[in-house]
Amino acid sequence: LNDGTADSGDANTTDDTAMIIKQSGKVGIGTTSPTSKLQVTGLPSHADNAAAITAGLTTGAFYHTSGNLKIVF
């Protein structure tokens, strides 16, 4: 987690940052430069809900099919 400000903790701000909260309030998961309030990149791609479950995703997990956002049910 990197909020772009200095702190006295042991926060890791190297290239392996997985999530960032910008001072503007924009949140990025899988990106360090979000362009909207919440931006998630790197979602897995599956043909359908059954394929997502077979791949190990559980209820509530996000995936996409041909660019369409889906949620496992």
Side-chain angles (χ1 to χ4, degrees):
L1 176 61
N2 179 355
D3 64 4
T5 61
D7 62 48
S8 59
D10 294 327
N12 181 354
T13 58
T14 61
D15 290 340
D16 62 350
T17 301
M19 179 180 165
I20 191 164
I21 302 171
K22 304 297 271 187
Q23 290 178 336
S24 64
K26 294 178 181 175
V27 176
I29 300 173
T31 179
T32 56
S33 53
T35 58
S36 61
K37 289 284 187 187
L38 174 62
Q39 183 173 351
V40 180
T41 61
L43 292 176
S45 178
H46 298 288
D48 54 30
N49 194 68
I53 291 171
T54 299
L57 296 182
T58 58
T59 301
F62 292 96
Y63 68 99
H64 76 90
T65 301
S66 301
N68 295 313
L69 181 64
K70 309 266 182 136
I71 302 173
V72 176
F73 58 92

Short mmCIF file of all heavy atoms in Angstrom, two decimals:
data_model
loop_
_atom_site.label_atom_id
_atom_site.label_comp_id
_atom_site.label_asym_id
_atom_site.label_seq_id
_atom_site.Cartn_x
_atom_site.Cartn_y
_atom_site.Cartn_z
N LEU A 1 0.86 -1.18 0.00
CA LEU A 1 0.00 0.00 0.00
C LEU A 1 0.89 1.22 0.00
O LEU A 1 1.83 1.31 0.77
CB LEU A 1 -0.90 -0.03 1.23
CG LEU A 1 -1.82 1.16 1.45
CD1 LEU A 1 -2.78 1.30 0.30
CD2 LEU A 1 -2.58 1.00 2.74
N ASN A 2 0.61 2.15 -0.89
CA ASN A 2 1.42 3.35 -1.00
C ASN A 2 0.49 4.54 -1.19
O ASN A 2 -0.22 4.61 -2.18
CB ASN A 2 2.38 3.21 -2.19
CG ASN A 2 3.24 4.43 -2.39
OD1 ASN A 2 3.09 5.44 -1.71
ND2 ASN A 2 4.15 4.34 -3.33
N ASP A 3 0.48 5.46 -0.24
CA ASP A 3 -0.40 6.63 -0.37
C ASP A 3 0.33 7.86 -0.91
O ASP A 3 -0.23 8.94 -0.98
CB ASP A 3 -1.07 6.96 0.97
CG ASP A 3 -0.09 7.38 2.04
OD1 ASP A 3 1.12 7.50 1.74
OD2 ASP A 3 -0.52 7.59 3.18
N GLY A 4 1.58 7.68 -1.33
CA GLY A 4 2.32 8.78 -1.93
C GLY A 4 2.91 9.77 -0.95
O GLY A 4 3.47 10.77 -1.34
N THR A 5 2.79 9.49 0.35
CA THR A 5 3.36 10.39 1.34
C THR A 5 4.41 9.66 2.16
O THR A 5 4.41 8.44 2.26
CB THR A 5 2.28 10.93 2.31
OG1 THR A 5 1.69 9.83 2.99
CG2 THR A 5 1.21 11.69 1.55
N ALA A 6 5.33 10.42 2.75
CA ALA A 6 6.37 9.83 3.58
C ALA A 6 5.78 9.41 4.92
O ALA A 6 4.84 10.01 5.42
CB ALA A 6 7.50 10.84 3.80
N ASP A 7 6.31 8.33 5.46
CA ASP A 7 5.90 7.91 6.80
C ASP A 7 7.09 7.31 7.51
O ASP A 7 8.15 7.11 6.93
CB ASP A 7 4.72 6.93 6.75
CG ASP A 7 5.06 5.63 6.04
OD1 ASP A 7 6.11 5.04 6.33
OD2 ASP A 7 4.26 5.20 5.20
N SER A 8 6.93 7.02 8.78
CA SER A 8 8.03 6.47 9.55
C SER A 8 7.94 4.96 9.69
O SER A 8 8.74 4.35 10.37
CB SER A 8 8.05 7.10 10.94
OG SER A 8 6.81 6.83 11.59
N GLY A 9 6.97 4.34 8.99
CA GLY A 9 6.80 2.90 9.06
C GLY A 9 7.70 2.16 8.09
O GLY A 9 8.62 2.73 7.52
N ASP A 10 7.43 0.89 7.94
CA ASP A 10 8.23 0.05 7.06
C ASP A 10 7.53 -0.21 5.74
O ASP A 10 7.66 -1.27 5.15
CB ASP A 10 8.51 -1.30 7.76
CG ASP A 10 9.40 -1.12 8.98
OD1 ASP A 10 10.26 -0.23 8.96
OD2 ASP A 10 9.22 -1.88 9.94
N ALA A 11 6.75 0.75 5.25
CA ALA A 11 6.03 0.58 3.99
C ALA A 11 7.01 0.36 2.85
O ALA A 11 8.03 1.01 2.75
CB ALA A 11 5.17 1.81 3.70
N ASN A 12 6.68 -0.60 2.00
CA ASN A 12 7.51 -0.92 0.86
C ASN A 12 6.95 -0.17 -0.35
O ASN A 12 5.83 -0.39 -0.75
CB ASN A 12 7.48 -2.43 0.62
CG ASN A 12 8.34 -2.84 -0.53
OD1 ASN A 12 8.89 -2.02 -1.25
ND2 ASN A 12 8.48 -4.13 -0.72
N THR A 13 7.74 0.72 -0.92
CA THR A 13 7.26 1.51 -2.05
C THR A 13 8.06 1.21 -3.31
O THR A 13 8.22 2.05 -4.18
CB THR A 13 7.32 3.02 -1.73
OG1 THR A 13 8.69 3.36 -1.42
CG2 THR A 13 6.41 3.38 -0.59
N THR A 14 8.56 -0.01 -3.43
CA THR A 14 9.31 -0.40 -4.63
C THR A 14 8.34 -0.77 -5.73
O THR A 14 7.13 -0.64 -5.59
CB THR A 14 10.24 -1.57 -4.31
OG1 THR A 14 9.46 -2.68 -3.89
CG2 THR A 14 11.24 -1.22 -3.23
N ASP A 15 8.86 -1.28 -6.83
CA ASP A 15 8.04 -1.60 -8.00
C ASP A 15 7.02 -2.70 -7.77
O ASP A 15 6.20 -2.97 -8.64
CB ASP A 15 8.94 -1.97 -9.17
CG ASP A 15 9.70 -0.78 -9.70
OD1 ASP A 15 9.28 0.37 -9.46
OD2 ASP A 15 10.70 -1.01 -10.37
N ASP A 16 7.02 -3.36 -6.62
CA ASP A 16 6.06 -4.43 -6.37
C ASP A 16 4.80 -3.92 -5.66
O ASP A 16 4.04 -4.70 -5.12
CB ASP A 16 6.69 -5.57 -5.59
CG ASP A 16 7.20 -5.16 -4.21
OD1 ASP A 16 7.23 -3.96 -3.92
OD2 ASP A 16 7.57 -6.05 -3.44
N THR A 17 4.55 -2.62 -5.72
CA THR A 17 3.34 -2.05 -5.12
C THR A 17 2.11 -2.68 -5.76
O THR A 17 1.94 -2.64 -6.97
CB THR A 17 3.30 -0.52 -5.30
OG1 THR A 17 4.45 0.04 -4.69
CG2 THR A 17 2.05 0.07 -4.69
N ALA A 18 1.24 -3.28 -4.95
CA ALA A 18 0.05 -3.96 -5.45
C ALA A 18 -1.19 -3.08 -5.39
O ALA A 18 -2.14 -3.29 -6.14
CB ALA A 18 -0.19 -5.25 -4.66
N MET A 19 -1.18 -2.11 -4.48
CA MET A 19 -2.35 -1.24 -4.30
C MET A 19 -1.85 0.15 -3.94
O MET A 19 -0.87 0.30 -3.21
CB MET A 19 -3.24 -1.77 -3.18
CG MET A 19 -4.44 -0.94 -2.90
SD MET A 19 -5.40 -1.68 -1.57
CE MET A 19 -6.45 -0.33 -1.14
N ILE A 20 -2.54 1.16 -4.45
CA ILE A 20 -2.15 2.53 -4.15
C ILE A 20 -3.40 3.38 -3.91
O ILE A 20 -4.43 3.15 -4.52
CB ILE A 20 -1.30 3.13 -5.30
CG1 ILE A 20 -0.66 4.43 -4.89
CG2 ILE A 20 -2.10 3.28 -6.57
CD1 ILE A 20 0.48 4.88 -5.80
N ILE A 21 -3.29 4.28 -2.97
CA ILE A 21 -4.34 5.28 -2.73
C ILE A 21 -3.69 6.64 -2.97
O ILE A 21 -2.79 7.03 -2.24
CB ILE A 21 -4.90 5.19 -1.30
CG1 ILE A 21 -5.47 3.80 -1.03
CG2 ILE A 21 -5.96 6.27 -1.09
CD1 ILE A 21 -5.86 3.56 0.41
N LYS A 22 -4.14 7.31 -4.01
CA LYS A 22 -3.56 8.60 -4.36
C LYS A 22 -4.14 9.69 -3.45
O LYS A 22 -5.20 9.53 -2.86
CB LYS A 22 -3.87 8.94 -5.82
CG LYS A 22 -3.40 7.89 -6.82
CD LYS A 22 -1.90 7.72 -6.82
CE LYS A 22 -1.29 8.69 -7.79
NZ LYS A 22 0.14 8.49 -7.99
N GLN A 23 -3.44 10.81 -3.33
CA GLN A 23 -3.92 11.91 -2.52
C GLN A 23 -5.27 12.44 -3.03
O GLN A 23 -6.04 12.98 -2.26
CB GLN A 23 -2.88 13.03 -2.47
CG GLN A 23 -1.66 12.64 -1.66
CD GLN A 23 -0.59 13.72 -1.65
OE1 GLN A 23 -0.53 14.55 -2.54
NE2 GLN A 23 0.25 13.69 -0.64
N SER A 24 -5.57 12.21 -4.28
CA SER A 24 -6.85 12.63 -4.87
C SER A 24 -8.00 11.73 -4.44
O SER A 24 -9.16 12.02 -4.71
CB SER A 24 -6.76 12.61 -6.39
OG SER A 24 -6.55 11.28 -6.85
N GLY A 25 -7.66 10.59 -3.79
CA GLY A 25 -8.68 9.64 -3.37
C GLY A 25 -8.87 8.49 -4.34
O GLY A 25 -9.60 7.55 -4.06
N LYS A 26 -8.21 8.54 -5.49
CA LYS A 26 -8.30 7.45 -6.46
C LYS A 26 -7.53 6.24 -5.95
O LYS A 26 -6.44 6.38 -5.40
CB LYS A 26 -7.77 7.90 -7.81
CG LYS A 26 -8.62 8.98 -8.45
CD LYS A 26 -8.05 9.44 -9.77
CE LYS A 26 -8.93 10.54 -10.36
NZ LYS A 26 -8.35 11.09 -11.58
N VAL A 27 -8.12 5.05 -6.14
CA VAL A 27 -7.53 3.81 -5.67
C VAL A 27 -7.17 2.94 -6.86
O VAL A 27 -7.99 2.73 -7.76
CB VAL A 27 -8.51 3.05 -4.74
CG1 VAL A 27 -7.94 1.71 -4.32
CG2 VAL A 27 -8.85 3.90 -3.53
N GLY A 28 -5.95 2.43 -6.87
CA GLY A 28 -5.52 1.53 -7.93
C GLY A 28 -5.13 0.19 -7.36
O GLY A 28 -4.37 0.11 -6.40
N ILE A 29 -5.66 -0.87 -7.93
CA ILE A 29 -5.27 -2.24 -7.58
C ILE A 29 -4.70 -2.85 -8.86
O ILE A 29 -5.40 -2.94 -9.87
CB ILE A 29 -6.46 -3.06 -7.06
CG1 ILE A 29 -7.04 -2.41 -5.81
CG2 ILE A 29 -6.04 -4.51 -6.79
CD1 ILE A 29 -8.32 -3.05 -5.31
N GLY A 30 -3.43 -3.20 -8.83
CA GLY A 30 -2.77 -3.70 -10.02
C GLY A 30 -2.26 -2.59 -10.92
O GLY A 30 -1.73 -2.83 -11.99
N THR A 31 -2.41 -1.35 -10.50
CA THR A 31 -1.89 -0.19 -11.21
C THR A 31 -1.47 0.86 -10.19
O THR A 31 -2.09 0.98 -9.14
CB THR A 31 -2.92 0.41 -12.20
OG1 THR A 31 -2.34 1.56 -12.83
CG2 THR A 31 -4.21 0.81 -11.50
N THR A 32 -0.42 1.60 -10.51
CA THR A 32 0.00 2.67 -9.60
C THR A 32 -0.43 4.04 -10.09
O THR A 32 -0.09 5.05 -9.50
CB THR A 32 1.54 2.65 -9.42
OG1 THR A 32 2.15 2.77 -10.71
CG2 THR A 32 2.00 1.38 -8.73
N SER A 33 -1.19 4.06 -11.19
CA SER A 33 -1.68 5.35 -11.71
C SER A 33 -3.15 5.25 -12.11
O SER A 33 -3.49 5.31 -13.29
CB SER A 33 -0.82 5.80 -12.89
OG SER A 33 -0.73 4.79 -13.86
N PRO A 34 -4.04 5.09 -11.12
CA PRO A 34 -5.47 4.97 -11.44
C PRO A 34 -6.01 6.25 -12.06
O PRO A 34 -5.60 7.36 -11.70
CB PRO A 34 -6.11 4.71 -10.07
CG PRO A 34 -5.15 5.29 -9.08
CD PRO A 34 -3.79 5.10 -9.68
N THR A 35 -6.94 6.08 -13.00
CA THR A 35 -7.55 7.22 -13.68
C THR A 35 -9.01 7.43 -13.30
O THR A 35 -9.67 8.30 -13.83
CB THR A 35 -7.45 7.05 -15.21
OG1 THR A 35 -8.08 5.83 -15.58
CG2 THR A 35 -5.99 7.02 -15.66
N SER A 36 -9.51 6.60 -12.37
CA SER A 36 -10.88 6.75 -11.87
C SER A 36 -10.87 6.47 -10.37
O SER A 36 -9.84 6.13 -9.80
CB SER A 36 -11.83 5.78 -12.60
OG SER A 36 -11.42 4.45 -12.38
N LYS A 37 -12.02 6.64 -9.72
CA LYS A 37 -12.10 6.44 -8.26
C LYS A 37 -11.59 5.06 -7.85
O LYS A 37 -10.91 4.92 -6.84
CB LYS A 37 -13.54 6.61 -7.77
CG LYS A 37 -14.01 8.03 -7.80
CD LYS A 37 -13.42 8.81 -6.65
CE LYS A 37 -14.01 10.20 -6.57
NZ LYS A 37 -13.35 11.01 -5.58
N LEU A 38 -11.91 4.01 -8.63
CA LEU A 38 -11.40 2.66 -8.39
C LEU A 38 -11.04 2.06 -9.72
O LEU A 38 -11.88 1.98 -10.62
CB LEU A 38 -12.45 1.78 -7.69
CG LEU A 38 -12.07 0.31 -7.52
CD1 LEU A 38 -10.82 0.16 -6.65
CD2 LEU A 38 -13.23 -0.47 -6.95
N GLN A 39 -9.79 1.64 -9.85
CA GLN A 39 -9.33 1.00 -11.09
C GLN A 39 -8.62 -0.29 -10.72
O GLN A 39 -7.69 -0.29 -9.92
CB GLN A 39 -8.39 1.91 -11.87
CG GLN A 39 -7.96 1.31 -13.19
CD GLN A 39 -7.16 2.29 -14.03
OE1 GLN A 39 -7.06 3.47 -13.72
NE2 GLN A 39 -6.59 1.79 -15.11
N VAL A 40 -9.10 -1.40 -11.28
CA VAL A 40 -8.52 -2.72 -11.04
C VAL A 40 -8.02 -3.27 -12.37
O VAL A 40 -8.77 -3.31 -13.34
CB VAL A 40 -9.57 -3.69 -10.44
CG1 VAL A 40 -8.95 -5.05 -10.18
CG2 VAL A 40 -10.16 -3.11 -9.16
N THR A 41 -6.76 -3.67 -12.41
CA THR A 41 -6.22 -4.29 -13.61
C THR A 41 -5.71 -5.68 -13.27
O THR A 41 -5.43 -5.99 -12.12
CB THR A 41 -5.06 -3.46 -14.22
OG1 THR A 41 -4.02 -3.37 -13.27
CG2 THR A 41 -5.52 -2.07 -14.59
N GLY A 42 -5.60 -6.51 -14.29
CA GLY A 42 -5.06 -7.85 -14.08
C GLY A 42 -6.09 -8.89 -13.70
O GLY A 42 -5.75 -9.94 -13.16
N LEU A 43 -7.38 -8.63 -13.97
CA LEU A 43 -8.41 -9.62 -13.65
C LEU A 43 -8.24 -10.84 -14.54
O LEU A 43 -7.93 -10.72 -15.72
CB LEU A 43 -9.81 -9.03 -13.85
CG LEU A 43 -10.24 -7.94 -12.89
CD1 LEU A 43 -11.62 -7.42 -13.29
CD2 LEU A 43 -10.28 -8.46 -11.47
N PRO A 44 -8.48 -12.04 -14.00
CA PRO A 44 -8.39 -13.23 -14.83
C PRO A 44 -9.51 -13.29 -15.84
O PRO A 44 -10.59 -12.72 -15.64
CB PRO A 44 -8.51 -14.38 -13.81
CG PRO A 44 -9.24 -13.79 -12.66
CD PRO A 44 -8.85 -12.34 -12.62
N SER A 45 -9.28 -13.99 -16.94
CA SER A 45 -10.27 -14.16 -17.99
C SER A 45 -10.78 -15.60 -17.98
O SER A 45 -9.98 -16.54 -17.96
CB SER A 45 -9.64 -13.85 -19.34
OG SER A 45 -10.57 -14.05 -20.38
N HIS A 46 -12.10 -15.76 -17.96
CA HIS A 46 -12.73 -17.09 -17.99
C HIS A 46 -13.93 -17.03 -18.92
O HIS A 46 -14.57 -15.99 -19.05
CB HIS A 46 -13.16 -17.53 -16.58
CG HIS A 46 -12.01 -17.66 -15.64
ND1 HIS A 46 -11.10 -18.66 -15.73
CD2 HIS A 46 -11.63 -16.88 -14.61
CE1 HIS A 46 -10.17 -18.51 -14.78
NE2 HIS A 46 -10.49 -17.42 -14.08
N ALA A 47 -14.25 -18.16 -19.53
CA ALA A 47 -15.35 -18.23 -20.49
C ALA A 47 -16.71 -18.00 -19.85
O ALA A 47 -17.59 -17.38 -20.43
CB ALA A 47 -15.34 -19.57 -21.21
N ASP A 48 -16.88 -18.50 -18.61
CA ASP A 48 -18.17 -18.37 -17.93
C ASP A 48 -17.98 -18.65 -16.45
O ASP A 48 -16.87 -18.91 -15.98
CB ASP A 48 -19.22 -19.31 -18.54
CG ASP A 48 -18.77 -20.76 -18.59
OD1 ASP A 48 -17.97 -21.19 -17.72
OD2 ASP A 48 -19.21 -21.47 -19.51
N ASN A 49 -19.08 -18.60 -15.70
CA ASN A 49 -19.05 -18.79 -14.25
C ASN A 49 -18.47 -20.17 -13.89
O ASN A 49 -17.65 -20.29 -12.98
CB ASN A 49 -20.45 -18.62 -13.66
CG ASN A 49 -20.43 -18.48 -12.16
OD1 ASN A 49 -19.95 -17.48 -11.65
ND2 ASN A 49 -20.96 -19.47 -11.46
N ALA A 50 -18.89 -21.21 -14.61
CA ALA A 50 -18.41 -22.58 -14.32
C ALA A 50 -16.90 -22.67 -14.50
O ALA A 50 -16.21 -23.29 -13.69
CB ALA A 50 -19.13 -23.58 -15.21
N ALA A 51 -16.38 -22.05 -15.55
CA ALA A 51 -14.93 -22.08 -15.80
C ALA A 51 -14.18 -21.33 -14.70
O ALA A 51 -13.10 -21.75 -14.27
CB ALA A 51 -14.62 -21.47 -17.16
N ALA A 52 -14.75 -20.22 -14.22
CA ALA A 52 -14.11 -19.46 -13.15
C ALA A 52 -14.05 -20.29 -11.86
O ALA A 52 -13.03 -20.31 -11.18
CB ALA A 52 -14.87 -18.16 -12.91
N ILE A 53 -15.13 -21.00 -11.55
CA ILE A 53 -15.16 -21.85 -10.35
C ILE A 53 -14.16 -22.99 -10.50
O ILE A 53 -13.41 -23.30 -9.56
CB ILE A 53 -16.59 -22.36 -10.09
CG1 ILE A 53 -17.47 -21.19 -9.66
CG2 ILE A 53 -16.59 -23.48 -9.05
CD1 ILE A 53 -18.95 -21.52 -9.60
N THR A 54 -14.12 -23.61 -11.67
CA THR A 54 -13.17 -24.70 -11.92
C THR A 54 -11.73 -24.22 -11.74
O THR A 54 -10.88 -24.97 -11.26
CB THR A 54 -13.36 -25.27 -13.34
OG1 THR A 54 -14.70 -25.78 -13.45
CG2 THR A 54 -12.37 -26.36 -13.65
N ALA A 55 -11.47 -22.96 -12.10
CA ALA A 55 -10.13 -22.39 -11.96
C ALA A 55 -9.79 -22.01 -10.52
O ALA A 55 -8.67 -21.62 -10.23
CB ALA A 55 -10.00 -21.16 -12.85
N GLY A 56 -10.77 -22.14 -9.61
CA GLY A 56 -10.50 -21.88 -8.20
C GLY A 56 -11.06 -20.59 -7.64
O GLY A 56 -10.87 -20.29 -6.47
N LEU A 57 -11.75 -19.80 -8.47
CA LEU A 57 -12.36 -18.58 -7.94
C LEU A 57 -13.56 -18.95 -7.08
O LEU A 57 -14.22 -19.96 -7.33
CB LEU A 57 -12.80 -17.66 -9.07
CG LEU A 57 -11.69 -17.09 -9.97
CD1 LEU A 57 -12.27 -16.15 -11.00
CD2 LEU A 57 -10.62 -16.40 -9.15
N THR A 58 -13.83 -18.15 -6.08
CA THR A 58 -14.96 -18.41 -5.18
C THR A 58 -16.01 -17.31 -5.31
O THR A 58 -15.77 -16.26 -5.92
CB THR A 58 -14.46 -18.48 -3.72
OG1 THR A 58 -13.81 -17.25 -3.39
CG2 THR A 58 -13.50 -19.64 -3.52
N THR A 59 -17.17 -17.54 -4.74
CA THR A 59 -18.28 -16.59 -4.81
C THR A 59 -17.83 -15.18 -4.44
O THR A 59 -17.16 -14.98 -3.43
CB THR A 59 -19.42 -17.03 -3.87
OG1 THR A 59 -19.85 -18.33 -4.26
CG2 THR A 59 -20.59 -16.07 -3.91
N GLY A 60 -18.18 -14.24 -5.28
CA GLY A 60 -17.83 -12.84 -5.06
C GLY A 60 -16.56 -12.39 -5.76
O GLY A 60 -16.29 -11.19 -5.82
N ALA A 61 -15.78 -13.33 -6.30
CA ALA A 61 -14.55 -12.98 -7.00
C ALA A 61 -14.86 -12.37 -8.37
O ALA A 61 -15.85 -12.72 -9.00
CB ALA A 61 -13.67 -14.21 -7.18
N PHE A 62 -14.02 -11.45 -8.81
CA PHE A 62 -14.19 -10.80 -10.10
C PHE A 62 -13.37 -11.51 -11.17
O PHE A 62 -12.27 -11.97 -10.91
CB PHE A 62 -13.74 -9.34 -10.03
CG PHE A 62 -14.61 -8.47 -9.18
CD1 PHE A 62 -14.28 -8.22 -7.85
CD2 PHE A 62 -15.76 -7.90 -9.70
CE1 PHE A 62 -15.08 -7.41 -7.06
CE2 PHE A 62 -16.57 -7.09 -8.91
CZ PHE A 62 -16.23 -6.85 -7.59
N TYR A 63 -13.92 -11.55 -12.39
CA TYR A 63 -13.19 -12.02 -13.57
C TYR A 63 -13.80 -11.32 -14.77
O TYR A 63 -14.74 -10.55 -14.64
CB TYR A 63 -13.27 -13.55 -13.70
CG TYR A 63 -14.63 -14.11 -14.04
CD1 TYR A 63 -14.96 -14.45 -15.35
CD2 TYR A 63 -15.59 -14.30 -13.05
CE1 TYR A 63 -16.22 -14.98 -15.66
CE2 TYR A 63 -16.84 -14.82 -13.35
CZ TYR A 63 -17.15 -15.16 -14.66
OH TYR A 63 -18.38 -15.67 -14.97
N HIS A 64 -13.24 -11.56 -15.95
CA HIS A 64 -13.85 -10.96 -17.14
C HIS A 64 -13.96 -11.98 -18.26
O HIS A 64 -13.25 -12.97 -18.30
CB HIS A 64 -13.11 -9.70 -17.60
CG HIS A 64 -11.82 -9.96 -18.31
ND1 HIS A 64 -11.74 -10.14 -19.67
CD2 HIS A 64 -10.56 -10.07 -17.84
CE1 HIS A 64 -10.49 -10.34 -20.01
NE2 HIS A 64 -9.74 -10.30 -18.92
N THR A 65 -14.93 -11.73 -19.14
CA THR A 65 -15.13 -12.50 -20.35
C THR A 65 -15.18 -11.52 -21.51
O THR A 65 -16.07 -10.67 -21.55
CB THR A 65 -16.45 -13.30 -20.29
OG1 THR A 65 -16.40 -14.16 -19.15
CG2 THR A 65 -16.66 -14.13 -21.54
N SER A 66 -14.19 -11.59 -22.38
CA SER A 66 -14.12 -10.68 -23.53
C SER A 66 -14.27 -9.22 -23.12
O SER A 66 -14.96 -8.44 -23.78
CB SER A 66 -15.18 -11.05 -24.57
OG SER A 66 -14.98 -12.36 -25.01
N GLY A 67 -13.67 -8.85 -22.00
CA GLY A 67 -13.71 -7.47 -21.54
C GLY A 67 -14.92 -7.09 -20.71
O GLY A 67 -15.01 -5.99 -20.20
N ASN A 68 -15.88 -8.01 -20.55
CA ASN A 68 -17.08 -7.75 -19.73
C ASN A 68 -16.83 -8.23 -18.31
O ASN A 68 -16.54 -9.40 -18.09
CB ASN A 68 -18.29 -8.46 -20.32
CG ASN A 68 -18.66 -7.93 -21.68
OD1 ASN A 68 -18.72 -6.73 -21.87
ND2 ASN A 68 -18.86 -8.82 -22.63
N LEU A 69 -16.96 -7.33 -17.35
CA LEU A 69 -16.75 -7.65 -15.94
C LEU A 69 -17.82 -8.60 -15.44
O LEU A 69 -19.01 -8.40 -15.70
CB LEU A 69 -16.76 -6.36 -15.10
CG LEU A 69 -16.53 -6.54 -13.61
CD1 LEU A 69 -15.13 -7.08 -13.34
CD2 LEU A 69 -16.72 -5.22 -12.89
N LYS A 70 -17.40 -9.64 -14.74
CA LYS A 70 -18.32 -10.64 -14.19
C LYS A 70 -17.95 -10.89 -12.72
O LYS A 70 -16.82 -10.65 -12.31
CB LYS A 70 -18.20 -11.96 -14.95
CG LYS A 70 -18.31 -11.85 -16.46
CD LYS A 70 -19.71 -12.08 -16.91
CE LYS A 70 -19.80 -12.02 -18.43
NZ LYS A 70 -20.58 -13.06 -19.00
N ILE A 71 -18.92 -11.42 -11.98
CA ILE A 71 -18.69 -11.79 -10.57
C ILE A 71 -19.14 -13.25 -10.41
O ILE A 71 -20.22 -13.62 -10.86
CB ILE A 71 -19.49 -10.90 -9.61
CG1 ILE A 71 -19.11 -9.43 -9.82
CG2 ILE A 71 -19.26 -11.32 -8.16
CD1 ILE A 71 -19.95 -8.45 -9.05
N VAL A 72 -18.30 -14.04 -9.77
CA VAL A 72 -18.63 -15.45 -9.55
C VAL A 72 -19.83 -15.53 -8.61
O VAL A 72 -19.90 -14.84 -7.61
CB VAL A 72 -17.42 -16.22 -8.94
CG1 VAL A 72 -17.82 -17.64 -8.62
CG2 VAL A 72 -16.25 -16.18 -9.89
N PHE A 73 -20.79 -16.39 -8.97
CA PHE A 73 -21.97 -16.59 -8.12
C PHE A 73 -22.16 -18.05 -7.83
O PHE A 73 -21.57 -18.91 -8.40
CB PHE A 73 -23.23 -16.00 -8.76
CG PHE A 73 -23.56 -16.54 -10.11
CD1 PHE A 73 -24.42 -17.63 -10.23
CD2 PHE A 73 -23.03 -15.99 -11.26
CE1 PHE A 73 -24.73 -18.14 -11.47
CE2 PHE A 73 -23.34 -16.48 -12.50
CZ PHE A 73 -24.18 -17.57 -12.62
#
